Amino acid sequence: MGKNADTFLSAYNRIDQHLNRWKETDDYIPFASLVNYFSKRNAVVKRFQNDLLEFAELRNAIVHNRVMPNYIIAEPHEKTVEHILNIEAELTRPKLVIPAFSRYVQTFHLDDTLASLLEIVKEKEFSQFPVYGNSGFKGLLTPRGITQWLSSHINEEHLNLNGTTIGEVLAVEVRKDHYKFISRKTTVHQAVDMMKGNPSSSFRPEAILITENGTPDEKLLGIITPHHIIGES
């Protein structure tokens, strides 16, 4: 048997064993059925569902179409071998949002001025702004919320940005549910799926906020925005 075929089959068998450890029955379930089942329950399997099903066909071609015990007629391409090894790693050792998205998160207080926020925007080019009060997290201010506030004051001759608090601007943010909190142990693939949203729903988070256990009253460990997941999709 060729080296690529041997490596491919070994990785395939390890993936098969891994999926079997997840199932809740001792009954035999074919590989393809396991993939289809867990594609609805696991973000990594969902992402690579079609690849895994194609790998099942390739595995069958290798195993069942041998003309001699050590002679095969289907030798996987090297890129195919690399791909199945990468999928195996994603399944067995998935990347977590921390440390993948660990970063300092600029936060604001309800009493901070809009002018101070805009100064930071000019320097850092942030677009999502977690806002806190004396009793904890209060909401996520977005450019849309700022635009809404500005449009509601468009007829005023002089806008006093230094006299306007972030709390006043946050109050006009139309959507109050455009963010999610997740724990540091969430996988990157789960976070990407959350950011994409549900196809049957109009909800798309504009930011995912990461804390130790996924609760708003904990220190922010990182933030994920649509821009951050472009390379992860």
Side-chain angles (χ1 to χ4, degrees), residues 8-9 12 30-33 35-36 48-66 73-76 80 84:
F8 174 87
L9 289 177
Y12 178 94
F31 182 85
S33 297
V35 169
N36 289 329
F48 296 114
Q49 179 182 10
N50 291 334
D51 295 317
L52 289 167
L53 294 176
E54 289 180 2
F55 289 157
E57 294 181 5
L58 177 55
R59 178 262 179 192
N60 290 338
I62 295 172
V63 171
H64 298 305
N65 293 336
R66 293 176 181 172
I73 63 172
E75 178 75 4
T80 301
I84 195 172

Side-chain angles (χ1 to χ4, degrees), residues 46-151:
K46 177 182 177 181
R47 180 180 184 185
F48 296 114
Q49 179 182 10
N50 291 334
D51 295 317
L52 289 167
L53 294 176
E54 289 180 2
F55 289 157
E57 294 181 5
L58 177 55
R59 178 262 179 192
N60 290 338
I62 295 172
V63 171
H64 298 305
N65 293 336
R66 293 176 181 172
V67 293
M68 284 185 273
N70 293 315
Y71 181 79
I72 61 170
I73 63 172
E75 178 75 4
H77 191 278
E78 193 164 326
K79 288 187 176 179
T80 301
V81 175
E82 290 177 3
H83 191 38
I84 195 172
L85 289 172
N86 288 334
I87 293 176
E88 180 196 357
E90 291 276 10
L91 278 169
T92 59
R93 302 181 298 279
K95 291 189 295 183
L96 303 182
V97 291
I98 298 295
F101 294 102
S102 177
R103 55 177 51 84
Y104 168 74
V105 183
Q106 179 70 56
T107 62
F108 299 88
H109 193 277
L110 289 172
D111 295 332
D112 290 339
T113 66
L114 178 57
S116 67
L117 181 147
L118 294 176
E119 280 295 325
I120 293 177
V121 171
K122 183 171 66 175
E123 295 175 9
K124 305 292 186 179
E125 297 184 352
F126 294 148
S127 58
Q128 285 84 16
F129 318 106
V131 179
Y132 288 78
N134 295 331
S135 58
F137 182 77
K138 294 300 179 183
L140 183 76
L141 183 61
T142 66
R144 183 185 60 244
I146 296 173
T147 301
Q148 289 168 341
W149 183 86
L150 290 171
S151 64

Side-chain angles (χ1 to χ4, degrees), residues 149-192:
W149 183 86
L150 290 171
S151 64
S152 66
H153 293 77
I154 194 169
N155 293 323
E156 296 182 18
E157 188 172 344
H158 298 290
L159 288 178
N160 184 3
L161 301 184
N162 282 307
T164 301
T165 67
I166 289 177
E168 293 175 75
V169 182
L170 184 64
V172 302
E173 185 82 58
V174 172
R175 294 199 65 167
K176 309 297 183 184
D177 62 349
H178 53 294
Y179 57 84
K180 290 181 74 72
F181 277 89
I182 61 174
S183 83
R184 65 179 298 149
K185 295 183 179 179
T186 305
T187 69
V188 169
H189 286 295
Q190 287 174 317
V192 169

Side-chain angles (χ1 to χ4, degrees), residues 24-47:
E24 299 174 352
T25 176
D26 293 330
D27 296 338
Y28 169 74
I29 300 177
F31 182 85
S33 297
L34 286 173
V35 169
N36 289 329
Y37 178 79
F38 285 114
S39 68
K40 301 178 178 64
R41 293 160 177 79
N42 180 276
V44 178
V45 179
K46 177 182 177 181
R47 180 180 184 185

Side-chain angles (χ1 to χ4, degrees), residues 11-23:
Y12 178 94
N13 289 335
R14 289 192 296 269
I15 292 173
D16 188 27
Q17 291 166 6
H18 192 76
L19 295 179
N20 270 283
R21 285 195 291 271
W22 286 352
K23 69 182 185 181

